Amino acid sequence: MLTGTGFALAAGLMWGLVFVAPLLLPEYPPALLAVGRYLAFGLICLPLARMDWADLRALKTADWWEAAKLSAIGNFLYYLALAAAIQWAGNPLVSAIIGTLPVVIAVVSNRRNAARDGHLPWRRLLPSLLAIALGLACVNQTELAALGQGDVARYAQGAAIALLALACWTWYPIRNADWLRAHADRSPRAWATAQGLVTLPMALLGLAVLALWQGLPGMPADVSLPLGPRPLAFMGLMLAMGLLASWGGTLCWNEASQRLPTALVGQLIVFETLAALAYGYGLRGAWPAGLAVLGIALLVLGVVWALRVKPVAQAHPG
């Protein structure tokens, strides 16, 4: 339990980086940020594949198709939607929506995976869920109040796209955990590398599509492919996200998913929210307001409480 929680914390710290990249590169369109991140992820996984060559060769065709689906939805579609939502609606509104992931995943997986993982009693799980939900409400109330008046239509579009990102990242950890729990003898590191390898041709295809369609509406004309107006900053940030947020985060999350019930590990995605908030406040150079501090404390309390809840095996008929 403790080891799994540590891996989930490490994943959250690395995944929090993806929330600041669209803010550090506001002149880059979301599609180029997504392609750049996963092109770096795929290239990094090429030399890493040598460490797990035997495990990768043992993967069947169905396993590679599963890795491709996880990468397409949990990597490309998720980050494309997230980056667009942050640039259109701002980080606070997106945090308010993506921050509900611990509650959404816990509820979905506790209903879906009770037979496999055991049932986390709702009565004992409820205080944790309420603390996390209330903490998110406090944090995001402070953030949303700072938005002020803006383009309502643009915010609404950003919110809708953030909901798409929420759906993608509700699906990804549950489906990824399904594979890992069904293949407990397989290496989580090799599975993370496999997802990176199948991401590489997707990124190359995406880059080719952007090169062909960069004149279409929504693609700024002053963005020169493939590196954009700030090549060094772009390459450095993409490599950092590819190594840390993509490969390292996926590896740590895979390790946590093999050790913890899906309903519990889903709640630990709150670490990503906490990391994103910390990085965001660091970029602002400001401390969080009192209500935000209360919210962060409630988030931590909810996670600690969740770790005390033990799954109960369901009785099988007959």
Side-chain angles (χ1 to χ4, degrees):
M1 181 72 73
L2 183 61
T3 303
T5 304
F7 276 117
L9 173 59
L13 291 173
M14 288 185 278
W15 280 339
L17 295 173
V18 306
F19 284 79
V20 299
L23 302 177
L24 293 174
L25 298 172
E27 67 273 37
Y28 281 75
L32 185 54
L33 292 176
V35 166
R37 173 185 174 181
Y38 292 111
L39 182 61
F41 181 26
L43 291 174
I44 287 170
C45 284
L46 287 177
L48 292 174
R50 298 185 61 182
M51 297 188 299
D52 298 300
W53 185 244
D55 291 312
L56 292 171
R57 288 187 63 184
L59 295 176
K60 300 177 181 179
T61 301
D63 298 325
W64 286 106
W65 275 114
E66 185 67 16
K69 288 184 287 186
L70 288 167
S71 292
I73 297 176
N75 288 341
F76 266 103
L77 185 56
Y78 166 71
Y79 194 61
L80 177 62
L82 181 71
I86 290 174
Q87 289 189 347
W88 292 359
N91 192 48
L93 181 61
V94 177
S95 296
I97 296 173
I98 301 299
T100 63
L101 269 170
V103 178
V104 175
I105 293 176
V107 171
V108 172
S109 59
N110 202 31
R111 292 179 60 88
R112 181 177 180 271
N113 300 320
R116 183 191 69 192
D117 295 340
H119 178 69
L120 298 177
W122 289 111
R123 183 176 298 178
R124 297 195 61 194
L125 193 61
L126 185 60
S128 169
L129 297 176
L130 290 177
I132 291 174
L134 184 58
L136 293 169
C138 291
V139 170
N140 290 302
Q141 177 61 33
T142 303
E143 294 297 306
L144 291 172
L147 285 176
Q149 298 297 322
D151 187 340
V152 176
R154 187 175 179 84
Y155 284 142
Q157 292 173 353
I161 297 174
L163 289 174
L164 174 60
L166 176 68
C168 291
W169 249 93
T170 299
W171 180 86
Y172 174 85
I174 294 175
R175 187 66 177 256
N176 190 53
D178 285 346
W179 191 93
L180 288 164
R181 299 295 291 276
H183 302 82
D185 58 323
R186 301 295 180 87
S187 165
R189 186 180 67 187
W191 187 235
T193 302
Q195 292 184 40
L197 292 176
V198 297
T199 298
L200 181 56
M202 297 181 194
L204 291 172
L205 178 60
L207 185 61
V209 171
L210 288 179
L212 292 173
W213 292 356
Q214 66 175 341
L216 293 180
M219 188 67 178
D222 59 345
V223 175
S224 55
L225 296 177
L227 300 179
R230 290 196 287 154
L232 292 180
F234 178 71
M235 287 191 296
L237 195 54
M238 294 304 104
L239 287 173
M241 287 202 300
L243 179 60
L244 299 176
S246 295
W247 186 80
T250 302
L251 167 61
C252 290
W253 190 255
N254 288 348
E255 295 280 2
S257 296
Q258 277 194 332
R259 289 169 168 80
L260 303 172
T262 307
L264 178 56
V265 78
Q267 293 185 74
L268 298 184
I269 290 182
V270 73
F271 290 139
E272 179 185 23
T273 302
L274 292 173
L277 287 168
Y279 301 153
Y281 285 121
L283 283 177
R284 293 180 185 176
W287 289 97
L291 186 60
V293 173
L294 174 61
I296 293 171
L298 286 169
L299 289 170
V300 175
L301 177 63
V303 170
V304 172
W305 185 278
L307 295 176
R308 297 169 56 89
V309 181
K310 306 299 181 184
V312 177
Q314 287 195 323
H316 294 280

